[in-house]
């Protein structure tokens, strides 16, 4: 709260897409995760006040941002050229590759993308994992109807467990988390060298630079390190 005579700091909201552990998930009805803690820590280093979270399916986050329903996205979102045409990103705060996840029973252990030939494969709509499936597999190793697109990765992993797909393409740290809690495992990693950033509207340069300064402050204070310890045990 601004004190008398000073302008009150603007307040912002943020959007996320739970079901992407340990970045964002629901625990006992509560939204928790690395992105949640990190984003709130970053905002607390700025002049902005934080007005809370809204939850969306992943592929609705960018429209929600550009329609002014939210002011920022914190959702393990990869900075890439396509998205950069519509929104801006802060500096990167995490790195990832894609994991090819299979059932733990050992019946199917692919070692490369070509081993997925003629297999049903799943990913979450609008993700870079979906991009790998579309660009590297569909029309080549697998047919279009062998790609199963899910609203969220929890449903994709569930369908993998049920045997409706034989592999799911998903970010490595999230694959590792699912592998700890469910009967699935990483068969191999497909290197994409992705970097996650917070999404901001292109006309909101002030917020983008404030979040970048906040991110530096959170790294310098040791808070970033604490949060990676807490959520990834790194
Ligand atoms: N990092 C991936 C992407 O940006 C997946 C993000 C997610 O599912 N939350 O597309």
């Amino acid at each position: 709260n601004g004190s008398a005579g000073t302008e009150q700091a603007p307040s912002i909201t943020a959007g996320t897409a739970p079901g992407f552990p340990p970045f964002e998930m629901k625990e006992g009805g509560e939204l928790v995760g690395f992105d949640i803690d990190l984003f709130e820590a970053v905002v607390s280093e700025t002049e902005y006040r934080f007005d809370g979270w809204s939850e969306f399916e992943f592929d609705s986050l960018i429209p929600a941002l550009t329609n002014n329903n939210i002011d920022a996205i914190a959702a393990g979102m990869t900075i890439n050229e396509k998205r950069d045409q519509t929104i801006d990103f802060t500096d990167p705060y995490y790195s990832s590759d894609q994991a090819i996840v299979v059932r733990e029973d050992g019946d199917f252990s692919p070692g490369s993308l070509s081993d997925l030939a003629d297999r049903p494969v799943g990913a979450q709509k609008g993700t870079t994992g979906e991009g790998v499936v579309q660009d590297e597999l569909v029309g080549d190793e697998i047919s279009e109807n062998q790609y199963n697109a899910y609203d969220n990765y929890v449903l994709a992993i569930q369908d993998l467990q049920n045997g409706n797909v034989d592999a799911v393409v998903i970010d490595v740290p999230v694959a590792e988390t699912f592998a700890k809690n469910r009967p699935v495992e990483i068969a191999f990693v497909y290197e994409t060298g992705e970097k996650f950033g917070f999404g901001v509207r292109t006309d909101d340069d002030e917020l983008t630079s404030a979040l970048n300064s906040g991110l530096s402050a959170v790294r310098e204070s040791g808070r970033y390190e604490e949060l990676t310890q807490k959520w990834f045990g790194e």
Side-chain angles (χ1 to χ4, degrees), residues 19 57 123-124 149-162 164-165 168 178 182:
E57 299 293 8
Q124 177 179 282
Y150 297 91
D151 282 337
N152 64 67
Y153 269 124
V154 174
L155 298 173
I157 295 290
Q158 193 59 54
D159 243 14
L160 174 65
Q161 290 178 228
N162 295 343
N164 293 325
V165 291
V168 169
F178 279 122
R182 293 159 177 263

Side-chain angles (χ1 to χ4, degrees), residues 16-21 23-24 35 57-59 61 73-80 83 89 96-98 124-131 151-153 169-172 174 194-197:
T16 192
F20 198 62
F23 291 91
E24 38 271 338
D35 277 334
E57 299 293 8
F58 183 75
D59 68 347
L61 284 165
I73 297 170
M77 189 175 274
T78 301
I79 302 167
N80 66 23
R83 292 171 181 157
F89 285 97
S96 179
D97 293 305
Q98 294 295 312
Q124 177 179 282
K125 283 180 195 159
T127 59
T128 50
E130 173 173 81
D151 282 337
N152 64 67
Y153 269 124
V169 182
I170 180 169
D171 302 62
V172 169
V174 183
E194 294 170 61
K195 302 246 181 286
F196 297 171

Side-chain angles (χ1 to χ4, degrees), residues 36-80:
I36 309 308
D37 283 352
L38 180 64
F39 188 77
E40 291 181 11
V42 166
V43 175
S44 73
E45 296 284 352
T46 72
E47 298 275 281
Y48 290 83
R49 289 172 307 134
F50 187 53
D51 234 13
W53 294 96
S54 300
E55 295 169 22
F56 298 88
E57 299 293 8
F58 183 75
D59 68 347
S60 301
L61 284 165
I62 291 179
L65 179 66
T66 56
N67 291 333
N68 296 309
N69 295 333
I70 48 175
D71 301 305
I73 297 170
M77 189 175 274
T78 301
I79 302 167
N80 66 23

Side-chain angles (χ1 to χ4, degrees), residues 76-104:
M77 189 175 274
T78 301
I79 302 167
N80 66 23
E81 247 173 67
K82 186 171 165 232
R83 292 171 181 157
D84 231 350
Q85 290 169 3
T86 322
I87 64 171
D88 276 348
F89 285 97
T90 62
D91 295 334
Y93 66 84
Y94 211 80
S95 306
S96 179
D97 293 305
Q98 294 295 312
I100 286 54
V101 175
V102 297
R103 283 179 298 280
E104 203 171 52

